[in-house]
Amino acid sequence: MKNDTVNIGLIGFGTIGSGVVTILKQNMDLIEKKSRKKINLKKIVDLDISTPRGVDVDPEKLSTNVDDILEDEDIDIVIELIGGYLPALDFILKALNKGKHVVTANKALLAKHWDEIISAAEENQVKISFEASVGGGIPLLQPLNESLAANNIQSIYGIINGTANYILTKMTQEGLNFDSVLNEAQDKGYAEQDTTFDVEGHDTAQKLILLTILGFGKYVKEENFHVEGIRNITPEDIIFNLEERGYVIKLLGISRKTDNELEVRVHPTLIPQDHLLASVNGVFNGVYIEGDAVGPVMMYGQGAGSMPTASAVIGDCLDIINNPQKEIPFGPLKENPASLKSIENVKSKYYIRLKALDHPGVLHSIAGILSDFNISIESVSQKKLDDGPAVPIFIVTHKASENDLRSALKKIDELKDIKEKSMFIRILEE
Amino acid sequence: MKNDTVNIGLIGFGTIGSGVVTILKQNMDLIEKKSRKKINLKKIVDLDISTPRGVDVDPEKLSTNVDDILEDEDIDIVIELIGGYLPALDFILKALNKGKHVVTANKALLAKHWDEIISAAEENQVKISFEASVGGGIPLLQPLNESLAANNIQSIYGIINGTANYILTKMTQEGLNFDSVLNEAQDKGYAEQDTTFDVEGHDTAQKLILLTILGFGKYVKEENFHVEGIRNITPEDIIFNLEERGYVIKLLGISRKTDNELEVRVHPTLIPQDHLLASVNGVFNGVYIEGDAVGPVMMYGQGAGSMPTASAVIGDCLDIINNPQKEIPFGPLKENPASLKSIENVKSKYYIRLKALDHPGVLHSIAGILSDFNISIESVSQKKLDDGPAVPIFIVTHKASENDLRSALKKIDELKDIKEKSMFIRILEE
């Protein structure tokens, strides 16, 4: 920073933006002590500057015109918190091109426009920081980039969407089904009205792209890897796996090296109850990073929310102030796309659920098809029910390729005694 | 760094030192890519340079003379891994005074000589980094200093000694007593021959001092806070608490703000089974940090071992290379001693174990004394045994001050029916 005072411009006065203003008010002494500079939140821009945010702001600082930040030569750091692709991309590029450092929580934008944004930062010799974009307030990207920099990263996997984790946790703890938990969460304001992005895994996928870039230096697009959400999980899946097998279901983002390829995938995953991730409940996030030297480490905390996310935003501002020349370890990655292992070639153990008529011979036919595809069965459980002739069957397999599993299930689903098509959940490899 | 090549001198070619050499060999490409410099491990000094370390080293790099590093003007970074107070202190001070950056894992030295070492670094405008000194390879100090810098830290508590945690985990999982686990661990080489430092809490205390300095900016000496080890824990304590109460016993270091004071203490602590720290088992470490903005975060990983600790050492070297001007947020602290809350004034819930003759009226007397000191009982359990007239009694109290508890237990221990004096374990406040 050129001067003793650092001027900050905030674009987006929503949930996280209000948190930023609150922390800057509340902890300014501490923050200035750590930055050895005066910090001045000079301007806050939002389309709506009249609705009260629960924090006092000098009205002169408020504006609806983004150029009051982007064109102000005194502003050193721009915090972008409006989210989405446009106009956020324009604002960020303009700020970088004006020689301003940028802090953002915008995972969607970074995941999609990585090279464009990073190149603009490099060309203008300014920084773009985005700790808040993955895992909210959890120190995650900085440790991955810096503390663990001596490691060849082997794998990164974790729970990085709080809404999906909240729903699965409630389903597990209270035996409720997906829809009733979701409705309750929406009524109480814990979940957005449109949760497609969270429950179908896209939010997890975007964050996983950023973790993959930083962990492996490889670029990957969402359309090139498997992304599957949690809508098909039923209470009976949860109960069977927990009570009979000691496994819990979590929505994981997984990115890991195998042979010379990267496996990148998002899907519900069965995790042994004594694995630390199995205890990451509610809106909390937890991410495992495995390095060749350090072994496994895990970071845990609140992956969303006004104050936790704002904590990461201000942490980034302090990092820029204290280390303005520090660079992101990987620059533009156009030349460095990941060589991806297709999900069909990934090997895993599986839990399978299907519903079949309770005839002698059904299990025999199913086992035969699985065997034809070289899939061995670890256990089979068939529940007697009072409500009809079809019974749910739960199968746990030994390790098999997903290609074989899908082919086998396709054949099984064609059996005449099958009354409800199969679904399966992958089991975390240990 | 002045030149394109960074020269490193390593003092101490033991377990961690060998790990450093191994990682530098194995991951040099990656490390040089991240530092944008050539890295040259120029000299390794140890008293013993003949015993094979399982990693190839050019014999010309080896020396028994520490001045080959300290007096070499080309060496930029000195890694100190000999541990202990002397001569490590002399080596570190000399390196700093010669204008060299220092990386160390020496928690004992830093905890005792903080001001002297930090002042020398500040005067010479060089850095002293010590991520490896607490929690081995776990990113802990850097996140605390940087990612969480916007937070007023409320509390730091965790499992930061792997040996003690290994012993407690084995006792819990296999129902063994302290001595047999310790003997087995020593036989297998998992624990040092002298584990006093680990099992009596001193190692935890030294690490806690560093966490307290970085988290709260306050200096505290071990003799001024309560440090208690795990020798008195019995299998019956573990079984009662786990089976009847759902609590596990962990050796915790705790540092937290209450009112305007700091509570700093090391002792075995009862933790609810569903708390994440309860699942930190074996040699793993886990540390909770609670900030006013971020809420609780936890970092988890291997707190010791050659490669994990070396990962942190090299991470520190990279941080120095990439950010040589970055300063430790708190400098010398002589003027800033912590105002400590005495353990007697700390309030907690307690588990109490004692042994008494199985007479009618014993429980009545005990309950009467507890009540005289305003301690209410949450539950009492008395076990019938076949091996004599004395029976173990387990009591769980509601919240009370430790002063009251100690006074009450002193009186209880004087009752004529008491056959084995009371012991108590504090229960983690939630």
Side-chain angles (χ1 to χ4, degrees), chain A residues 26-27 30 142 146-147 150-151 292 297-298 300 311 322-323 325-326, chain B residues 27 30 142 146-147 150-151 292 297-298 300 311 322-323 325-326:
Chain A
Q26 198 170 291
N27 293 350
L30 180 83
Q142 192 174 24
E146 301 183 28
S147 314
N151 289 265
D292 60 346
V297 298
M298 189 184 86
Y300 163 89
S311 158
N322 290 328
N323 313 296
Q325 92 301 359
K326 192 168 65 180
Chain B
N27 292 351
L30 180 83
Q142 193 175 23
E146 300 182 30
S147 314
N151 289 265
D292 60 348
V297 299
M298 189 184 87
Y300 162 89
S311 158
N322 289 328
N323 312 295
Q325 92 300 359
K326 191 168 66 179

PDB file of all heavy atoms in Angstrom, chain A residues 26-27 30 142 146-147 150-151 292 297-298 300 311 322-323 325-326, chain B residues 27 30 142 146-147 150-151 292 297-298 300 311 322-323 325-326:
ATOM      1  N   GLN A  26     -16.494  -3.357  14.994  1.00  0.00           N
ATOM      2  CA  GLN A  26     -16.321  -4.016  16.279  1.00  0.00           C
ATOM      3  C   GLN A  26     -14.842  -4.233  16.621  1.00  0.00           C
ATOM      4  O   GLN A  26     -14.422  -4.059  17.761  1.00  0.00           O
ATOM      5  CB  GLN A  26     -17.032  -5.367  16.152  1.00  0.00           C
ATOM      6  CG  GLN A  26     -17.377  -6.095  17.404  1.00  0.00           C
ATOM      7  CD  GLN A  26     -18.304  -7.276  17.042  1.00  0.00           C
ATOM      8  OE1 GLN A  26     -19.448  -7.121  16.644  1.00  0.00           O
ATOM      9  NE2 GLN A  26     -17.765  -8.486  17.156  1.00  0.00           N
ATOM     10  N   ASN A  27     -14.051  -4.638  15.636  1.00  0.00           N
ATOM     11  CA  ASN A  27     -12.675  -5.055  15.911  1.00  0.00           C
ATOM     12  C   ASN A  27     -11.634  -4.158  15.246  1.00  0.00           C
ATOM     13  O   ASN A  27     -10.518  -4.598  14.987  1.00  0.00           O
ATOM     14  CB  ASN A  27     -12.462  -6.512  15.440  1.00  0.00           C
ATOM     15  CG  ASN A  27     -13.271  -7.498  16.257  1.00  0.00           C
ATOM     16  OD1 ASN A  27     -13.838  -7.140  17.276  1.00  0.00           O
ATOM     17  ND2 ASN A  27     -13.322  -8.741  15.810  1.00  0.00           N
ATOM     18  N   LEU A  30      -8.031  -3.926  16.840  1.00  0.00           N
ATOM     19  CA  LEU A  30      -7.259  -5.148  16.608  1.00  0.00           C
ATOM     20  C   LEU A  30      -6.790  -5.226  15.160  1.00  0.00           C
ATOM     21  O   LEU A  30      -5.628  -5.560  14.878  1.00  0.00           O
ATOM     22  CB  LEU A  30      -8.186  -6.320  16.915  1.00  0.00           C
ATOM     23  CG  LEU A  30      -7.658  -7.729  16.769  1.00  0.00           C
ATOM     24  CD1 LEU A  30      -6.912  -8.102  18.032  1.00  0.00           C
ATOM     25  CD2 LEU A  30      -8.811  -8.713  16.547  1.00  0.00           C
ATOM     26  N   GLN A 142      -5.769 -20.524   2.301  1.00  0.00           N
ATOM     27  CA  GLN A 142      -4.446 -20.061   2.707  1.00  0.00           C
ATOM     28  C   GLN A 142      -3.592 -21.215   3.244  1.00  0.00           C
ATOM     29  O   GLN A 142      -2.450 -21.384   2.786  1.00  0.00           O
ATOM     30  CB  GLN A 142      -4.571 -18.920   3.722  1.00  0.00           C
ATOM     31  CG  GLN A 142      -3.235 -18.218   3.939  1.00  0.00           C
ATOM     32  CD  GLN A 142      -3.333 -16.991   4.821  1.00  0.00           C
ATOM     33  OE1 GLN A 142      -4.244 -16.869   5.632  1.00  0.00           O
ATOM     34  NE2 GLN A 142      -2.386 -16.076   4.673  1.00  0.00           N
ATOM     35  N   GLU A 146      -0.222 -22.212   1.402  1.00  0.00           N
ATOM     36  CA  GLU A 146       0.997 -21.784   2.079  1.00  0.00           C
ATOM     37  C   GLU A 146       1.526 -22.800   3.083  1.00  0.00           C
ATOM     38  O   GLU A 146       2.588 -23.383   2.880  1.00  0.00           O
ATOM     39  CB  GLU A 146       0.758 -20.440   2.762  1.00  0.00           C
ATOM     40  CG  GLU A 146       0.335 -19.384   1.731  1.00  0.00           C
ATOM     41  CD  GLU A 146       0.145 -18.008   2.331  1.00  0.00           C
ATOM     42  OE1 GLU A 146       0.786 -17.677   3.341  1.00  0.00           O
ATOM     43  OE2 GLU A 146      -0.679 -17.255   1.780  1.00  0.00           O
ATOM     44  N   SER A 147       0.770 -23.056   4.161  1.00  0.00           N
ATOM     45  CA  SER A 147       1.300 -23.948   5.201  1.00  0.00           C
ATOM     46  C   SER A 147       1.624 -25.321   4.625  1.00  0.00           C
ATOM     47  O   SER A 147       2.565 -25.977   5.057  1.00  0.00           O
ATOM     48  CB  SER A 147       0.288 -24.109   6.341  1.00  0.00           C
ATOM     49  OG  SER A 147      -0.255 -22.876   6.726  1.00  0.00           O
ATOM     50  N   ALA A 150       4.710 -27.447   0.874  1.00  0.00           N
ATOM     51  CA  ALA A 150       5.791 -28.414   0.623  1.00  0.00           C
ATOM     52  C   ALA A 150       5.257 -29.767   0.175  1.00  0.00           C
ATOM     53  O   ALA A 150       6.032 -30.653  -0.184  1.00  0.00           O
ATOM     54  CB  ALA A 150       6.629 -28.586   1.892  1.00  0.00           C
ATOM     55  N   ASN A 151       3.947 -29.932   0.211  1.00  0.00           N
ATOM     56  CA  ASN A 151       3.349 -31.240  -0.065  1.00  0.00           C
ATOM     57  C   ASN A 151       2.884 -31.400  -1.501  1.00  0.00           C
ATOM     58  O   ASN A 151       2.337 -30.484  -2.098  1.00  0.00           O
ATOM     59  CB  ASN A 151       2.103 -31.437   0.812  1.00  0.00           C
ATOM     60  CG  ASN A 151       2.445 -31.646   2.265  1.00  0.00           C
ATOM     61  OD1 ASN A 151       2.548 -32.776   2.708  1.00  0.00           O
ATOM     62  ND2 ASN A 151       2.665 -30.558   3.000  1.00  0.00           N
ATOM     63  N   ASP A 292       1.494 -35.633   0.713  1.00  0.00           N
ATOM     64  CA  ASP A 292       2.417 -36.770   0.803  1.00  0.00           C
ATOM     65  C   ASP A 292       3.311 -36.673   2.037  1.00  0.00           C
ATOM     66  O   ASP A 292       3.752 -37.693   2.557  1.00  0.00           O
ATOM     67  CB  ASP A 292       3.252 -36.920  -0.489  1.00  0.00           C
ATOM     68  CG  ASP A 292       4.108 -35.718  -0.807  1.00  0.00           C
ATOM     69  OD1 ASP A 292       3.906 -34.642  -0.201  1.00  0.00           O
ATOM     70  OD2 ASP A 292       4.989 -35.838  -1.680  1.00  0.00           O
ATOM     71  N   VAL A 297      -4.915 -33.851   6.988  1.00  0.00           N
ATOM     72  CA  VAL A 297      -5.298 -32.788   7.923  1.00  0.00           C
ATOM     73  C   VAL A 297      -6.755 -32.440   7.638  1.00  0.00           C
ATOM     74  O   VAL A 297      -7.247 -32.674   6.539  1.00  0.00           O
ATOM     75  CB  VAL A 297      -4.434 -31.507   7.810  1.00  0.00           C
ATOM     76  CG1 VAL A 297      -2.988 -31.779   8.129  1.00  0.00           C
ATOM     77  CG2 VAL A 297      -4.546 -30.879   6.423  1.00  0.00           C
ATOM     78  N   MET A 298      -7.441 -31.931   8.639  1.00  0.00           N
ATOM     79  CA  MET A 298      -8.818 -31.500   8.407  1.00  0.00           C
ATOM     80  C   MET A 298      -9.033 -30.105   8.978  1.00  0.00           C
ATOM     81  O   MET A 298      -8.509 -29.775  10.032  1.00  0.00           O
ATOM     82  CB  MET A 298      -9.841 -32.435   9.036  1.00  0.00           C
ATOM     83  CG  MET A 298     -11.271 -32.068   8.572  1.00  0.00           C
ATOM     84  SD  MET A 298     -12.616 -33.008   9.321  1.00  0.00           S
ATOM     85  CE  MET A 298     -12.886 -32.068  10.811  1.00  0.00           C
ATOM     86  N   TYR A 300     -12.232 -27.407   9.893  1.00  0.00           N
ATOM     87  CA  TYR A 300     -13.656 -27.498  10.224  1.00  0.00           C
ATOM     88  C   TYR A 300     -14.176 -26.154  10.699  1.00  0.00           C
ATOM     89  O   TYR A 300     -13.439 -25.423  11.373  1.00  0.00           O
ATOM     90  CB  TYR A 300     -13.785 -28.546  11.321  1.00  0.00           C
ATOM     91  CG  TYR A 300     -15.075 -28.544  12.102  1.00  0.00           C
ATOM     92  CD1 TYR A 300     -16.159 -29.294  11.673  1.00  0.00           C
ATOM     93  CD2 TYR A 300     -15.192 -27.818  13.289  1.00  0.00           C
ATOM     94  CE1 TYR A 300     -17.338 -29.312  12.408  1.00  0.00           C
ATOM     95  CE2 TYR A 300     -16.365 -27.832  14.028  1.00  0.00           C
ATOM     96  CZ  TYR A 300     -17.437 -28.587  13.589  1.00  0.00           C
ATOM     97  OH  TYR A 300     -18.597 -28.604  14.318  1.00  0.00           O
ATOM     98  N   SER A 311     -15.422 -12.745   8.266  1.00  0.00           N
ATOM     99  CA  SER A 311     -14.117 -12.959   8.915  1.00  0.00           C
ATOM    100  C   SER A 311     -13.055 -13.314   7.877  1.00  0.00           C
ATOM    101  O   SER A 311     -11.926 -12.799   7.913  1.00  0.00           O
ATOM    102  CB  SER A 311     -14.246 -14.079   9.967  1.00  0.00           C
ATOM    103  OG  SER A 311     -13.007 -14.677  10.267  1.00  0.00           O
ATOM    104  N   ASN A 322      -0.651  -6.771   4.359  1.00  0.00           N
ATOM    105  CA  ASN A 322       0.634  -7.181   4.923  1.00  0.00           C
ATOM    106  C   ASN A 322       1.572  -7.815   3.893  1.00  0.00           C
ATOM    107  O   ASN A 322       2.784  -7.792   4.073  1.00  0.00           O
ATOM    108  CB  ASN A 322       0.417  -8.160   6.086  1.00  0.00           C
ATOM    109  CG  ASN A 322      -0.181  -7.465   7.301  1.00  0.00           C
ATOM    110  OD1 ASN A 322       0.097  -6.290   7.543  1.00  0.00           O
ATOM    111  ND2 ASN A 322      -1.002  -8.179   8.053  1.00  0.00           N
ATOM    112  N   ASN A 323       1.010  -8.427   2.868  1.00  0.00           N
ATOM    113  CA  ASN A 323       1.843  -9.118   1.873  1.00  0.00           C
ATOM    114  C   ASN A 323       1.345  -8.802   0.467  1.00  0.00           C
ATOM    115  O   ASN A 323       0.897  -9.693  -0.246  1.00  0.00           O
ATOM    116  CB  ASN A 323       1.756 -10.641   2.071  1.00  0.00           C
ATOM    117  CG  ASN A 323       1.932 -11.034   3.510  1.00  0.00           C
ATOM    118  OD1 ASN A 323       2.991 -10.818   4.083  1.00  0.00           O
ATOM    119  ND2 ASN A 323       0.891 -11.587   4.110  1.00  0.00           N
ATOM    120  N   GLN A 325       2.713  -8.317  -2.250  1.00  0.00           N
ATOM    121  CA  GLN A 325       3.401  -8.884  -3.418  1.00  0.00           C
ATOM    122  C   GLN A 325       3.211 -10.395  -3.528  1.00  0.00           C
ATOM    123  O   GLN A 325       3.632 -11.008  -4.487  1.00  0.00           O
ATOM    124  CB  GLN A 325       4.885  -8.516  -3.381  1.00  0.00           C
ATOM    125  CG  GLN A 325       5.808  -9.496  -2.703  1.00  0.00           C
ATOM    126  CD  GLN A 325       5.458  -9.753  -1.235  1.00  0.00           C
ATOM    127  OE1 GLN A 325       4.522  -9.198  -0.676  1.00  0.00           O
ATOM    128  NE2 GLN A 325       6.189 -10.647  -0.611  1.00  0.00           N
ATOM    129  N   LYS A 326       2.596 -11.003  -2.508  1.00  0.00           N
ATOM    130  CA  LYS A 326       2.445 -12.462  -2.528  1.00  0.00           C
ATOM    131  C   LYS A 326       1.581 -12.887  -3.710  1.00  0.00           C
ATOM    132  O   LYS A 326       0.571 -12.288  -4.002  1.00  0.00           O
ATOM    133  CB  LYS A 326       1.811 -12.915  -1.221  1.00  0.00           C
ATOM    134  CG  LYS A 326       1.858 -14.407  -1.003  1.00  0.00           C
ATOM    135  CD  LYS A 326       1.482 -14.737   0.425  1.00  0.00           C
ATOM    136  CE  LYS A 326       0.039 -14.380   0.726  1.00  0.00           C
ATOM    137  NZ  LYS A 326      -0.317 -14.717   2.120  1.00  0.00           N
TER     138      LYS A 326
ATOM    139  N   ASN B  27      10.169 -33.415  -3.327  1.00  0.00           N
ATOM    140  CA  ASN B  27       9.229 -32.442  -3.888  1.00  0.00           C
ATOM    141  C   ASN B  27       9.915 -31.158  -4.344  1.00  0.00           C
ATOM    142  O   ASN B  27       9.286 -30.104  -4.388  1.00  0.00           O
ATOM    143  CB  ASN B  27       8.146 -32.092  -2.854  1.00  0.00           C
ATOM    144  CG  ASN B  27       7.234 -33.264  -2.567  1.00  0.00           C
ATOM    145  OD1 ASN B  27       7.294 -34.285  -3.247  1.00  0.00           O
ATOM    146  ND2 ASN B  27       6.392 -33.146  -1.557  1.00  0.00           N
ATOM    147  N   LEU B  30       8.185 -28.990  -7.163  1.00  0.00           N
ATOM    148  CA  LEU B  30       7.003 -28.289  -6.657  1.00  0.00           C
ATOM    149  C   LEU B  30       7.400 -27.110  -5.773  1.00  0.00           C
ATOM    150  O   LEU B  30       6.846 -26.016  -5.871  1.00  0.00           O
ATOM    151  CB  LEU B  30       6.198 -29.313  -5.842  1.00  0.00           C
ATOM    152  CG  LEU B  30       4.913 -28.868  -5.205  1.00  0.00           C
ATOM    153  CD1 LEU B  30       3.797 -28.948  -6.240  1.00  0.00           C
ATOM    154  CD2 LEU B  30       4.576 -29.760  -4.011  1.00  0.00           C
ATOM    155  N   GLN B 142      -0.240 -20.223  11.393  1.00  0.00           N
ATOM    156  CA  GLN B 142      -0.471 -19.308  10.281  1.00  0.00           C
ATOM    157  C   GLN B 142      -1.959 -18.947  10.157  1.00  0.00           C
ATOM    158  O   GLN B 142      -2.300 -17.763  10.083  1.00  0.00           O
ATOM    159  CB  GLN B 142       0.074 -19.889   8.984  1.00  0.00           C
ATOM    160  CG  GLN B 142       0.148 -18.839   7.882  1.00  0.00           C
ATOM    161  CD  GLN B 142       0.804 -19.344   6.609  1.00  0.00           C
ATOM    162  OE1 GLN B 142       0.839 -20.537   6.347  1.00  0.00           O
ATOM    163  NE2 GLN B 142       1.317 -18.419   5.809  1.00  0.00           N
ATOM    164  N   GLU B 146      -3.159 -15.195  10.574  1.00  0.00           N
ATOM    165  CA  GLU B 146      -3.510 -14.523   9.331  1.00  0.00           C
ATOM    166  C   GLU B 146      -4.973 -14.696   8.952  1.00  0.00           C
ATOM    167  O   GLU B 146      -5.732 -13.746   8.951  1.00  0.00           O
ATOM    168  CB  GLU B 146      -2.598 -15.020   8.211  1.00  0.00           C
ATOM    169  CG  GLU B 146      -1.124 -14.719   8.544  1.00  0.00           C
ATOM    170  CD  GLU B 146      -0.172 -15.145   7.463  1.00  0.00           C
ATOM    171  OE1 GLU B 146      -0.550 -15.154   6.285  1.00  0.00           O
ATOM    172  OE2 GLU B 146       0.975 -15.490   7.806  1.00  0.00           O
ATOM    173  N   SER B 147      -5.379 -15.931   8.626  1.00  0.00           N
ATOM    174  CA  SER B 147      -6.749 -16.099   8.142  1.00  0.00           C
ATOM    175  C   SER B 147      -7.765 -15.603   9.167  1.00  0.00           C
ATOM    176  O   SER B 147      -8.812 -15.083   8.804  1.00  0.00           O
ATOM    177  CB  SER B 147      -7.038 -17.574   7.840  1.00  0.00           C
ATOM    178  OG  SER B 147      -5.993 -18.156   7.118  1.00  0.00           O
ATOM    179  N   ALA B 150      -8.998 -11.114  11.701  1.00  0.00           N
ATOM    180  CA  ALA B 150     -10.062 -10.135  11.951  1.00  0.00           C
ATOM    181  C   ALA B 150     -10.819 -10.416  13.239  1.00  0.00           C
ATOM    182  O   ALA B 150     -11.672  -9.638  13.646  1.00  0.00           O
ATOM    183  CB  ALA B 150     -11.046 -10.125  10.776  1.00  0.00           C
ATOM    184  N   ASN B 151     -10.520 -11.546  13.856  1.00  0.00           N
ATOM    185  CA  ASN B 151     -11.292 -11.978  15.018  1.00  0.00           C
ATOM    186  C   ASN B 151     -10.654 -11.599  16.343  1.00  0.00           C
ATOM    187  O   ASN B 151      -9.438 -11.694  16.507  1.00  0.00           O
ATOM    188  CB  ASN B 151     -11.417 -13.513  15.020  1.00  0.00           C
ATOM    189  CG  ASN B 151     -12.336 -14.020  13.944  1.00  0.00           C
ATOM    190  OD1 ASN B 151     -13.504 -14.243  14.194  1.00  0.00           O
ATOM    191  ND2 ASN B 151     -11.808 -14.175  12.738  1.00  0.00           N
ATOM    192  N   ASP B 292     -14.679 -14.241  17.650  1.00  0.00           N
ATOM    193  CA  ASP B 292     -15.980 -13.573  17.804  1.00  0.00           C
ATOM    194  C   ASP B 292     -16.738 -13.500  16.481  1.00  0.00           C
ATOM    195  O   ASP B 292     -17.965 -13.484  16.468  1.00  0.00           O
ATOM    196  CB  ASP B 292     -15.854 -12.188  18.459  1.00  0.00           C
ATOM    197  CG  ASP B 292     -14.988 -11.224  17.657  1.00  0.00           C
ATOM    198  OD1 ASP B 292     -14.293 -11.659  16.718  1.00  0.00           O
ATOM    199  OD2 ASP B 292     -15.016 -10.022  17.974  1.00  0.00           O
ATOM    200  N   VAL B 297     -13.678 -22.894  14.889  1.00  0.00           N
ATOM    201  CA  VAL B 297     -13.056 -23.654  13.805  1.00  0.00           C
ATOM    202  C   VAL B 297     -12.150 -24.701  14.448  1.00  0.00           C
ATOM    203  O   VAL B 297     -11.711 -24.542  15.580  1.00  0.00           O
ATOM    204  CB  VAL B 297     -12.233 -22.779  12.825  1.00  0.00           C
ATOM    205  CG1 VAL B 297     -13.094 -21.738  12.146  1.00  0.00           C
ATOM    206  CG2 VAL B 297     -11.077 -22.099  13.535  1.00  0.00           C
ATOM    207  N   MET B 298     -11.927 -25.791  13.739  1.00  0.00           N
ATOM    208  CA  MET B 298     -10.991 -26.789  14.260  1.00  0.00           C
ATOM    209  C   MET B 298      -9.996 -27.188  13.193  1.00  0.00           C
ATOM    210  O   MET B 298     -10.353 -27.310  12.022  1.00  0.00           O
ATOM    211  CB  MET B 298     -11.700 -28.044  14.755  1.00  0.00           C
ATOM    212  CG  MET B 298     -10.719 -28.965  15.500  1.00  0.00           C
ATOM    213  SD  MET B 298     -11.387 -30.562  16.051  1.00  0.00           S
ATOM    214  CE  MET B 298     -11.117 -31.544  14.595  1.00  0.00           C
ATOM    215  N   TYR B 300      -7.033 -30.193  12.429  1.00  0.00           N
ATOM    216  CA  TYR B 300      -6.778 -31.577  12.861  1.00  0.00           C
ATOM    217  C   TYR B 300      -5.678 -32.180  12.003  1.00  0.00           C
ATOM    218  O   TYR B 300      -5.599 -31.889  10.795  1.00  0.00           O
ATOM    219  CB  TYR B 300      -8.078 -32.340  12.679  1.00  0.00           C
ATOM    220  CG  TYR B 300      -7.975 -33.847  12.654  1.00  0.00           C
ATOM    221  CD1 TYR B 300      -8.060 -34.569  13.845  1.00  0.00           C
ATOM    222  CD2 TYR B 300      -7.823 -34.537  11.459  1.00  0.00           C
ATOM    223  CE1 TYR B 300      -7.983 -35.956  13.827  1.00  0.00           C
ATOM    224  CE2 TYR B 300      -7.757 -35.925  11.439  1.00  0.00           C
ATOM    225  CZ  TYR B 300      -7.837 -36.632  12.627  1.00  0.00           C
ATOM    226  OH  TYR B 300      -7.770 -37.995  12.609  1.00  0.00           O
ATOM    227  N   SER B 311       7.001 -31.057   6.990  1.00  0.00           N
ATOM    228  CA  SER B 311       6.097 -30.336   6.081  1.00  0.00           C
ATOM    229  C   SER B 311       5.884 -28.909   6.567  1.00  0.00           C
ATOM    230  O   SER B 311       5.912 -27.952   5.790  1.00  0.00           O
ATOM    231  CB  SER B 311       4.759 -31.091   5.994  1.00  0.00           C
ATOM    232  OG  SER B 311       3.717 -30.247   5.573  1.00  0.00           O
ATOM    233  N   ASN B 322       8.642 -16.199   0.233  1.00  0.00           N
ATOM    234  CA  ASN B 322       7.611 -15.455  -0.494  1.00  0.00           C
ATOM    235  C   ASN B 322       7.199 -14.154   0.188  1.00  0.00           C
ATOM    236  O   ASN B 322       6.733 -13.231  -0.474  1.00  0.00           O
ATOM    237  CB  ASN B 322       6.377 -16.341  -0.704  1.00  0.00           C
ATOM    238  CG  ASN B 322       6.644 -17.445  -1.715  1.00  0.00           C
ATOM    239  OD1 ASN B 322       7.417 -17.267  -2.648  1.00  0.00           O
ATOM    240  ND2 ASN B 322       6.022 -18.601  -1.516  1.00  0.00           N
ATOM    241  N   ASN B 323       7.317 -14.106   1.505  1.00  0.00           N
ATOM    242  CA  ASN B 323       6.882 -12.912   2.250  1.00  0.00           C
ATOM    243  C   ASN B 323       7.923 -12.537   3.291  1.00  0.00           C
ATOM    244  O   ASN B 323       7.656 -12.595   4.486  1.00  0.00           O
ATOM    245  CB  ASN B 323       5.555 -13.179   2.971  1.00  0.00           C
ATOM    246  CG  ASN B 323       4.540 -13.824   2.064  1.00  0.00           C
ATOM    247  OD1 ASN B 323       4.110 -13.223   1.100  1.00  0.00           O
ATOM    248  ND2 ASN B 323       4.177 -15.062   2.368  1.00  0.00           N
ATOM    249  N   GLN B 325       9.021  -9.893   4.408  1.00  0.00           N
ATOM    250  CA  GLN B 325       8.826  -8.722   5.268  1.00  0.00           C
ATOM    251  C   GLN B 325       7.672  -8.902   6.251  1.00  0.00           C
ATOM    252  O   GLN B 325       7.441  -8.072   7.106  1.00  0.00           O
ATOM    253  CB  GLN B 325       8.623  -7.474   4.413  1.00  0.00           C
ATOM    254  CG  GLN B 325       7.197  -7.110   4.062  1.00  0.00           C
ATOM    255  CD  GLN B 325       6.460  -8.196   3.279  1.00  0.00           C
ATOM    256  OE1 GLN B 325       7.005  -9.255   2.958  1.00  0.00           O
ATOM    257  NE2 GLN B 325       5.194  -7.964   3.035  1.00  0.00           N
ATOM    258  N   LYS B 326       6.953 -10.009   6.115  1.00  0.00           N
ATOM    259  CA  LYS B 326       5.790 -10.217   6.981  1.00  0.00           C
ATOM    260  C   LYS B 326       6.222 -10.325   8.444  1.00  0.00           C
ATOM    261  O   LYS B 326       7.185 -10.992   8.764  1.00  0.00           O
ATOM    262  CB  LYS B 326       5.062 -11.486   6.553  1.00  0.00           C
ATOM    263  CG  LYS B 326       3.715 -11.656   7.200  1.00  0.00           C
ATOM    264  CD  LYS B 326       2.942 -12.764   6.508  1.00  0.00           C
ATOM    265  CE  LYS B 326       3.600 -14.109   6.710  1.00  0.00           C
ATOM    266  NZ  LYS B 326       2.834 -15.177   6.064  1.00  0.00           N
TER     267      LYS B 326
END
